[in-house]
Amino acid sequence: MTSENGDHGWAMPRIALVAVLAAGFLAFLPSLLGGFLADDFTYIARFSRLKISEWPALFTKEWSGGVWGFPLRELRPFAALSFIIDSRLYGGNPVGYRVTNMLLHLSAVGLVALMTWRYSRGSLFAAVSAGLIFALHPAHVEPVTWITGRVDLLGTVAALVFIVCCERYSESGRVAFAVTGLIAIFVGLFSKEFCMLAPLIVLSKWLMLDFSAGATAWKRRGIVLGGSIVLFGVYAFCRTKAFGAEAAGANAWNDINAWHRHASHLSWLVPILPLNGLEEWASPPAVATAKRIWIASVGIGLVALLAVRIARSWTWACVLFFSVIWYLFTLVPLMVVGYFTPRHLYFPSVGLAVSLGMLCTMPRVRYLVLCASIIPLAMSHVLVLRPWAKAGSISRDVLGRVHAALAPGHGSYVLITAVPEKFETALLMAWSMPAGASPPFMDLPPSSKIIVRPGNYVRPERWFDELQPAVVLKESTEGFVLYVDEKGAVISRRLDLRGVRFASESLDAAIGRGLSPESYTEWVKMLATTTQ
C-alpha cells in the first residue's frame, strides 16, 4: 500500500478512536451486569477445574472434554485459556467474564476503525463511520453478551491484528510487526477455525489492490505469508493428531438447507434484506434458481472490481474488495456449517463495515450512506439486545434464589428446576446443568441432587436414565423448587418432607401418563405455585 494509498500512516486521532470505542461500550452496557447463559455454565465449570499444567494437552485434544456426550472436532486451546484465566480471577462472578468479552469487542471495533482510516487515506469521517457500523451491528449481540461467544471475538481480533501487522510490516519492514502478526494468527488458528482465511484475504488484497508495491514490499510479504503457512502446517498436524484424517465435508452447493441458511446469514449481515425466515416462504426458490442468482451477483461484483481497478479508482476498488471478496472468503464458507447462528457473522461483518466506511469518503453521499447504515443497524441492535439482556437478568435471579436457599446451611436436599432453554430469541439455560449446580456457580451440600427440565440438561436424550428423577425424590427429605415462566418471572419455594412426598407422588403420576418436557414444566409450576 505504498504507491496507491498515499502517505497517510496508521496514527488515527485518539479522540476519534476513543469516541468510537465509547459508542461500542455504551451499546452493550445494558447487558454488562447479566448472568451466565447456556454453554457458559458447562465451559466455565470445566475450565475452572482444569489445571494449568493440563492446558497444553488441548492443542491435540478437543476442548469440551466430552461434556456433551460426544466429541467436538474443535481445537480451541486459547479460548480455553481465556476461560481458565477468567475463572481464576472472577470465580462465579459473571461481570468479569462479560468485561473480557467487552474488551475483545472494543479491540475489534478499534481495529476496524484503524483499518478504514488507513485504507481511506486518512478520512476521519470514514474511519469513525466504519467503527460505529461495526460497533452497533445486531449480529454482534450474541457473541458479545454470551460469554461462550467469545471464540468468535477472539478469533476475529487475532485475524485483524494479523492483517494490520502484515500491512505494517510490508510498509516499514519492522520485524516486530511480522512477529506480532504471526503470533496473532497462531492464537487465532487455535481459537476459531475461520482464522485460516486471514492470510488468503490479505494476499488477495495485495494482488488485487496493491500489486505494484515493489520488490522489497513483496519480499516482506513473502516472509510473513511463508510464516503463516508454517503455522498452518503446525495446526494441521495438531488436528490430525486430535481427530485423524478428516472428510472433505458436506456438499453445500446442492443443499437447499445450506442456501436457506445462507439467505438468513445475508439478512442478518444486511438487516434491510428481506431474506430472514426463507424456510417459511410458501414457495422458496429451488437450488438451481439460488445458484443462478448467486453466480450472477458474484460475477457482476467481480467484473465491477476489475473495471474500477482498470480505471484506477482506489475508493471504489476498496468498496468492492471489502464487500465482494470479503464476502466470498468469510460468508460463503458458512454454508457448510450445519446450523445458523448470528455470531458466525462477527468476522464477515468487518468487510461490510469497512466497505461502507469507504463509501463515506465521498462527500456527496457520505451522510446518506451513514444514516442509511446506522439507523437500521442501531434499531436492530436495540431489538436484538433486549432479550439477551433480559435473559442475563433472569439467570442472575435464578442463581440468587438458589444461593439464598443455601444460606441457612441446610443439609442434603433435592433442587427441582424448570427454566426455559431460551428467552424469546436469546439463550437462557439450555444445556446448562448439572454444571450450573456446581462450583463456581453453586455449592450444593454433599449428597444433594438436582432435577432439571430436560432441555436444561447437558445431554437431553439421556435425561431420564442419568437423572433418575423418581428415585431421587423418593430418597429425599427436603427440597427447593424453582420455576421460570415464559415471561421471565421467577417463582421459588422450599419443600419440607411432606412437600417432597407430594412431589414424588405427583411425578409418578405424570410419568404414568407419559412425561414430556412440557408436562415436566407444568409439574414444576404446580409445585412452585401450589401450597399442599
Side-chain angles (χ1 to χ4, degrees):
M1 223 175 357
T2 53
S3 60
E4 289 195 74
N5 204 29
D7 299 323
H8 296 281
W10 292 85
M12 180 179 171
R14 292 181 180 178
I15 185 65
L17 187 58
V18 169
V20 171
L21 296 180
F25 175 79
L26 292 174
F28 286 95
L29 186 59
S31 68
L32 196 58
L33 298 180
F36 300 104
L37 301 170
D39 293 17
D40 296 348
F41 292 96
T42 302
Y43 283 113
I44 292 171
R46 164 167 163 70
F47 294 119
S48 66
R49 294 190 292 265
L50 190 74
K51 297 178 182 178
I52 194 66
S53 60
E54 299 174 312
W55 173 72
L58 295 180
F59 281 88
T60 54
K61 293 181 180 179
E62 66 95 4
W63 76 318
S64 75
V67 295
W68 308 111
F70 56 88
L72 301 178
R73 303 182 74 84
E74 298 172 347
L75 287 183
R76 296 177 181 173
F78 287 105
L81 182 61
S82 74
F83 285 124
I84 292 172
I85 294 172
D86 276 5
S87 67
R88 270 53 168 186
L89 293 175
Y90 311 119
N93 185 349
V95 176
Y97 299 85
R98 287 177 173 269
V99 167
T100 299
N101 277 33
M102 178 75 82
L103 291 175
L104 287 170
H105 176 57
L106 295 182
S107 297
V109 170
L111 287 165
V112 168
L114 186 62
M115 287 171 58
T116 310
W117 163 264
R118 184 66 175 110
Y119 295 142
S120 66
R121 301 175 177 176
S123 170
L124 193 60
F125 193 92
V128 171
S129 298
L132 290 175
I133 290 168
F134 188 81
L136 297 174
H137 200 289
H140 300 172
V141 169
E142 182 177 326
V144 177
T145 60
W146 185 31
I147 295 168
T148 307
R150 75 170 52 168
V151 293
D152 292 275
L153 306 179
L154 186 57
T156 297
V157 170
L160 294 181
V161 169
F162 172 77
I163 292 171
V164 169
C165 285
C166 283
E167 294 280 33
R168 301 202 68 174
Y169 179 62
S170 171
E171 296 170 8
S172 69
R174 291 181 58 185
V175 176
F177 288 126
V179 172
T180 302
L182 291 176
I183 291 173
I185 199 62
F186 180 73
V187 171
L189 287 171
F190 286 98
S191 296
K192 193 69 185 286
E193 295 78 6
F194 65 70
C195 281
M196 65 179 62
L197 301 171
L200 299 175
I201 290 173
V202 76
L203 174 61
S204 298
K205 186 266 174 185
W206 286 336
L207 290 173
M208 295 180 183
L209 304 188
D210 198 20
F211 185 75
S212 60
T216 301
W218 274 106
K219 181 179 179 180
R220 295 167 182 166
R221 294 170 179 180
I223 291 173
V224 73
L225 290 175
S228 66
I229 292 174
V230 172
L231 295 179
F232 278 10
V234 173
Y235 178 72
F237 172 80
C238 290
R239 281 199 70 91
T240 302
K241 188 80 171 175
F243 310 125
E246 298 187 89
N251 182 13
W253 181 249
N254 294 317
D255 183 4
I256 188 61
N257 292 322
W259 286 100
H260 287 183
R261 291 192 300 271
H262 192 60
S264 293
H265 277 122
L266 280 170
S267 71
W268 269 86
L269 186 66
V270 185
I272 61 173
L273 292 178
L275 301 176
N276 204 18
L278 179 63
E279 65 278 1
E280 299 177 2
W281 288 9
S283 301
V287 172
T289 302
K291 291 178 182 179
R292 293 190 192 101
I293 295 173
W294 186 86
I295 291 172
S297 301
V298 171
I300 292 172
L302 292 176
V303 170
L305 177 58
L306 177 62
V308 298
R309 289 305 293 136
I310 294 174
R312 301 184 67 82
S313 172
W314 171 257
T315 297
W316 276 107
C318 284
V319 169
L320 289 170
F321 178 85
F322 283 100
S323 55
V324 178
I325 303 302
W326 198 281
Y327 156 79
L328 289 174
F329 274 120
T330 63
L331 202 61
V332 173
L334 291 179
M335 291 181 68
V336 303
V337 180
Y339 64 98
F340 167 80
T341 176
R343 66 183 173 85
H344 288 166
L345 296 175
Y346 196 80
F347 188 47
S349 64
V350 171
L352 175 71
V354 176
S355 62
L356 290 175
M358 291 298 299
L359 281 176
C360 289
T361 62
M362 304 176 185
R364 294 183 178 181
V365 299
R366 62 172 50 176
Y367 294 105
L368 176 62
V369 170
L370 182 60
C371 291
S373 304
I374 290 293
I375 292 175
L377 289 175
M379 293 175 62
S380 299
H381 174 89
V382 172
L383 293 175
V384 175
L385 181 63
R386 187 191 64 80
W388 282 92
K390 178 62 176 177
S393 176
I394 296 169
S395 175
R396 289 188 71 99
D397 192 3
V398 166
L399 291 186
R401 299 285 186 106
V402 176
H403 281 298
L406 293 174
H410 280 260
S412 176
Y413 69 101
V414 59
L415 174 63
I416 306 169
T417 70
V419 183
E421 292 91 278
K422 300 179 70 174
F423 176 75
E424 295 182 4
T425 57
L427 291 171
L428 181 50
M429 284 197 173
W431 325 294
S432 59
M433 298 295 176
S438 65
F441 314 108
M442 302 182 197
D443 191 10
L444 296 181
S447 302
S448 295
K449 302 291 184 179
I450 182 170
I451 304 173
V452 300
R453 179 179 161 87
N456 301 149
Y457 192 57
V458 69
R459 294 176 290 273
E461 72 283 358
R462 305 182 191 177
W463 176 81
F464 198 84
D465 292 335
E466 294 185 355
L467 287 187
Q468 297 184 322
V471 175
V472 167
L473 279 174
K474 286 180 173 62
E475 296 176 349
S476 301
T477 58
E478 184 179 6
F480 181 74
V481 59
L482 186 146
Y483 166 74
V484 179
D485 67 18
E486 294 182 352
K487 296 182 179 180
V490 182
I491 305 170
S492 63
R493 73 184 187 91
R494 294 181 184 278
L495 298 178
D496 55 17
L497 178 58
R498 182 183 173 206
V500 172
R501 291 292 170 262
F502 174 79
S504 178
E505 294 169 0
S506 56
L507 179 61
D508 285 340
I511 292 174
R513 293 190 296 269
L515 192 65
S516 65
E518 292 72 25
S519 61
Y520 171 87
T521 301
E522 288 301 315
W523 171 69
V524 176
K525 178 181 179 181
M526 180 268 296
L527 295 179
T529 58
T530 303
T531 302
Q532 289 82 32

